[in-house]
C-alpha cells in the first residue's frame, strides 16, 4: 500500500465534500466566516483521526452486527473530549460552533471513513487516511468560508477588505448564500476537472451496508 | 393561555421562520438524498417526525433525572446518540416482525435516521433551551413537521427540474443546491412573523 497516496487522496482526488458530497450540514452552517470554518475543520480532523485509529485497533473485537452503535460511541467520546477542550481553552470558538460541535458525532464523513477504511486497514494507514480526509474537509470549509465571508461581509478572517467602496452582498452570509456558493463551487470544479456530473446515490452513504435500499 | 401562546410560537418558529433544514442546516443529507420523489419525501418525513418525538420523550427525562443530578451533563452527547441508535434499531426490529407492510414502505428510511443530525440536534436543543417537557415534545414534533414540509416542497421542485435542460457542469448536485438556495430565500419572507403576530 502506498502510504503517500492514502494521505493525499482525501485532500483533492477524493475530497469528502466536493466529490463524495459528505458532511453537508457543517459545510453549509459554519461557513459564513472563514475563521469558524477552519476551526470546525480542525476539530473534525482531530475526531476523524482519533476515531480512525481506535476503530482500526478494535476492528477484530467489534462484532459486525452492532458495529454502527460501537463506532458512534467511540466517535461521541472524542467529540465530548473536543467539546470540553474548546470550552476550557478557546471559549469564543466554542460559542461560535455551538451545537455543530456536538453534531460532529453524526457527521457522515467520520462514520463513512470508519466503515469504508478504518475497519479494513491497519492503524498507520487509518491515521493517515483520517488526517488526509480531515485536511480535505478543512480545505473545503476554508474555500467556501472565504468566498462567503469576502462577498457577504467584505472581510476575511475578520480583516476588513473593502472599506466603504463596495457594500457587501448580505445574501452570501444568509443560509441561501450557503447553498448557492457550494453549488457553484462544485459546478466550477466539475467543469475544470471535466468530471462526470455526479448523481446523488447510495454509493457514498456511510450506512449503505446496513440499509436495505442497497440490496 | 400562556402555554398555548408559547406552543404557537414554537410551531411558527420551527416550521416557517427558523426551519431546521433551510435556516439551521440540520438534516441536509436526507434533504438532498431523499427528495427525488414525492412519495419517498413523505415517508422520510413521517419517520423523522416519529423518531424525533420518541427520542425527545426518551432523552428529556434521562437528562434531567439522571445526568443533571449526577453532574455529568457533558455526557449528554454519548448518552443521547446511544439512545437514538438503540431506539431506531428496536423500532426496526418491531416493525419487521409485526408490521411487515409498514416496514416495506417506511422501514427503508430507518437506518438513515440514526445518522440524521437533525434528530440529535433536536434532542440537544430541547434540553438546552429551558423548555418544559410538553414544550420539548411539541418542539420535536414541529421540527419534524418543518422537515416534512420542506422535503415535500423541494421534491416538487426537483420533479419539475428533471424535465429541464441543464448545462453539463451543473447537472446533479450543483443545480440541486442552487434550487435549494432559492427555496431557502423564499423562506426568509417569513422572517419577523412571530414578532408581528405576538408583538415580541
Amino acid at each position: 500500500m502506498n502510504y503517500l497516496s492514502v494521505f493525499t487522496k482525501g485532500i483533492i482526488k477524493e475530497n469528502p465534500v466536493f466529490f463524495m458530497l459528505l458532511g453537508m450540514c457543517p459545510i453549509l452552517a459554519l461557513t459564513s466566516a472563514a475563521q469558524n470554518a477552519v476551526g470546525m475543520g480542525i476539530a473534525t480532523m482531530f475526531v476523524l483521526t482519533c476515531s480512525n485509529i481506535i476503530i482500526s485497533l478494535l476492528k477484530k473485537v467489534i462484532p459486525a452486527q452492532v458495529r454502527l452503535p460501537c463506532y458512534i460511541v467511540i466517535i461521541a467520546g472524542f467529540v465530548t473530549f473536543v467539546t470540553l477542550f474548546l470550552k476550557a481553552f478557546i471559549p469564543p470558538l466554542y460559542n461560535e460552533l455551538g451545537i455543530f460541535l456536538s453534531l460532529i458525532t453524526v457527521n457522515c464523513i467520520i462514520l463513512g471513513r470508519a466503515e469504508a477504511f478504518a475497519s479494513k486497514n491497519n492503524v498507520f494507514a487509518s491515521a493517515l487516511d483520517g488526517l488526509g480526509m480531515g485536511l480535505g474537509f478543512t480545505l473545503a470549509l476554508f474555500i467556501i468560508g472565504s468566498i462567503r465571508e469576502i462577498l457577504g461581509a467584505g472581510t476575511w478572517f475578520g480583516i476588513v477588505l473593502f472599506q466603504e467602496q463596495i457594500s457587501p452582498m448580505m445574501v452570501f452570509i444568509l443560509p441561501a448564500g450557503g447553498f448557492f456558493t457550494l453549488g457553484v463551487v462544485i459546478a466550477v470544479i466539475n467543469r475544470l476537472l471535466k468530471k462526470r456530473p455526479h448523481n446523488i446515490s447510495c454509493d457514498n452513504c456511510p450506512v449503505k451496508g446496513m440499509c436495505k435500499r442497497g440490496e | 393561555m400562556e402555554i398555548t401562546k408559547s406552543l404557537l410560537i414554537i410551531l411558527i418558529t420551527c416550521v416557517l421562520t427558523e426551519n431546521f433544514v433551510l435556516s439551521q442546516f440540520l438534516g441536509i443529507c436526507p434533504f438532498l438524498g431523499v427528495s427525488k420523489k414525492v412519495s419517498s419525501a413523505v415517508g422520510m418525513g413521517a419517520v423523522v417526525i416519529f423518531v424525533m418525538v420518541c427520542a425527545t420523550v426518551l432523552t428529556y427525562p434521562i437528562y434531567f433525572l439522571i445526568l443533571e443530578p449526577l453532574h455529568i451533563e457533558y455526557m449528554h452527547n454519548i448518552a443521547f446518540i446511544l439512545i437514538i441508535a438503540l431506539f431506531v434499531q428496536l423500532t426496526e426490529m418491531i416493525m419487521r416482525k409485526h408490521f411487515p407492510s409498514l416496514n416495506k414502505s417506511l422501514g427503508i428510511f430507518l437506518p438513515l435516521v440514526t445518522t440524521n443530525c437533525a434528530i440529535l440536534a433536536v434532542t440537544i436543543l430541547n434540553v438546552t433551551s429551558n423548555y418544559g417537557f410538553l414544550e420539548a415534545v411539541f418542539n420535536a414534533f414541529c421540527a419534524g413537521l418543518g422537515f416534512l414540509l420542506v422535503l415535500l416542497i423541494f421534491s416538487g421542485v426537483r420533479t419539475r427540474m428533471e424535465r429541464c435542460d441543464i448545462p453539463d457542469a451543473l447537472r446533479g448536485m450543483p443545480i440541486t443546491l442552487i434550487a435549494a438556495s432559492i427555496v431557502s430565500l423564499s423562506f426568509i419572507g417569513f422572517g419577523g412573523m412571530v414578532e408581528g403576530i405576538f408583538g415580541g
Side-chain angles (χ1 to χ4, degrees):
Chain A
M1 183 186 297
N2 185 350
Y3 285 114
L4 187 69
S5 77
V6 167
F7 175 67
T8 54
K9 74 178 186 312
I11 301 175
I12 298 188
K13 221 173 86 196
E14 288 180 26
N15 188 296
V17 176
F18 296 139
F19 300 128
M20 303 206 288
L21 307 170
L22 294 174
M24 288 287 147
C25 301
I27 269 284
L28 293 164
L30 294 167
T31 49
S32 54
Q35 201 171 352
N36 298 344
V38 173
M40 180 66 185
I42 292 169
T44 309
M45 181 162 72
F46 174 79
V47 175
L48 180 55
T49 311
C50 294
S51 67
N52 256 8
I53 292 173
I54 299 293
I55 288 165
S56 172
L57 282 171
L58 295 177
K59 61 178 179 282
K60 293 212 175 73
V61 188
I62 297 174
Q65 298 89 335
V66 289
R67 63 189 191 283
L68 182 63
C70 294
Y71 295 164
I72 287 183
V73 171
I74 293 169
I75 296 164
F78 284 112
V79 170
T80 308
F81 174 84
V82 171
T83 312
L84 291 176
F85 178 85
L86 288 184
K87 199 175 181 179
F89 295 104
I90 323 175
L93 188 62
Y94 171 80
N95 292 330
E96 283 293 326
L97 299 184
I99 190 163
F100 282 93
L101 209 49
S102 298
L103 295 182
I104 297 178
T105 317
V106 281
N107 189 325
C108 332
I109 298 177
I110 301 184
L111 205 58
R113 291 327 286 172
E115 171 81 6
F117 197 91
S119 59
K120 299 186 187 90
N121 289 285
N122 66 35
V123 180
F124 186 60
S126 301
L128 283 179
D129 178 74
L131 272 177
M133 286 288 163
L135 265 180
F137 183 64
T138 313
L139 181 75
L141 276 160
F142 170 73
I143 293 173
I144 311 265
S146 300
I147 296 175
R148 286 182 70 190
E149 195 185 342
I150 292 170
L151 292 179
T155 58
W156 194 49
F157 284 96
I159 306 159
V160 182
L161 293 180
F162 317 113
Q163 294 293 352
E164 296 291 312
Q165 308 96 323
I166 308 165
S167 54
M169 292 178 271
M170 259 285 285
V171 71
F172 275 95
I173 50 174
L174 293 177
F179 285 111
F180 184 78
T181 313
L182 183 60
V184 171
V185 168
I186 292 178
V188 168
I189 290 176
N190 279 351
R191 185 77 187 83
L192 290 179
L193 298 183
K194 303 245 181 326
K195 269 217 157 207
R196 193 169 45 85
H198 22 204
N199 283 318
I200 304 161
S201 68
C202 288
D203 293 343
N204 298 323
C205 181
V207 286
K208 187 180 68 173
M210 290 152 240
C211 183
K212 281 164 293 298
R213 297 182 94 196
E215 281 171 15
Chain B
M1 216 29 230
E2 232 2 75
I3 189 86
T4 330
K5 188 183 163 188
S6 78
L7 291 186
L8 266 176
I9 292 180
I10 290 175
L11 177 70
I12 297 173
T13 314
C14 280
V15 177
L16 299 175
T17 53
E18 281 182 30
N19 189 284
F20 255 47
V21 178
L22 294 177
S23 65
Q24 303 197 39
F25 297 121
L26 297 165
I28 298 289
C29 301
F31 167 65
L32 296 172
V34 201
S35 59
K36 259 190 182 153
K37 277 189 299 188
V38 176
S39 59
S40 51
V42 173
M44 185 70 183
V47 170
V48 164
I49 294 182
F50 173 72
V51 177
M52 270 185 177
V53 171
C54 295
T56 303
V57 171
L58 290 170
T59 53
Y60 190 90
I62 285 184
Y63 186 83
F64 286 105
L65 298 177
I66 299 177
L67 297 185
E68 207 177 48
L70 292 175
H71 300 293
I72 46 168
E73 290 97 335
Y74 61 87
M75 291 288 283
H76 69 80
N77 221 338
I78 302 178
F80 284 12
I81 192 68
L82 247 187
I83 292 167
I84 294 169
L86 283 177
F87 175 74
V88 170
Q89 204 117 62
L90 254 174
T91 316
E92 206 195 345
M93 286 175 186
I94 294 172
M95 256 168 76
R96 201 182 307 156
K97 185 118 206 303
H98 297 289
F99 310 98
S101 60
L102 199 63
N103 185 39
K104 239 185 177 165
S105 53
L106 298 182
I108 48 169
F109 302 115
L110 271 173
L112 298 170
V113 165
T114 320
T115 50
N116 183 345
C117 57
I119 311 272
L120 183 63
V122 85
T123 57
I124 295 176
L125 287 174
N126 276 336
V127 296
T128 48
S129 38
N130 295 322
Y131 283 146
F133 183 67
L134 186 67
E135 288 166 305
V137 173
F138 191 68
N139 184 41
F141 175 76
C142 292
L145 201 65
F147 182 80
L148 172 65
L149 177 77
V150 171
L151 222 61
L152 200 58
I153 293 177
F154 199 57
S155 63
V157 173
R158 282 183 75 174
T159 324
R160 301 198 63 154
M161 223 156 56
E162 298 226 317
R163 287 187 235 124
C164 299
D165 186 23
I166 298 159
D168 255 358
L170 283 170
R171 273 206 194 134
M173 199 57 161
I175 194 72
T176 312
L177 282 165
I178 292 169
S181 136
I182 294 166
V183 175
S184 159
L185 209 54
S186 70
F187 266 66
I188 294 178
F190 293 116
M193 207 172 152
V194 173
E195 291 79 2
I197 296 175
F198 299 100

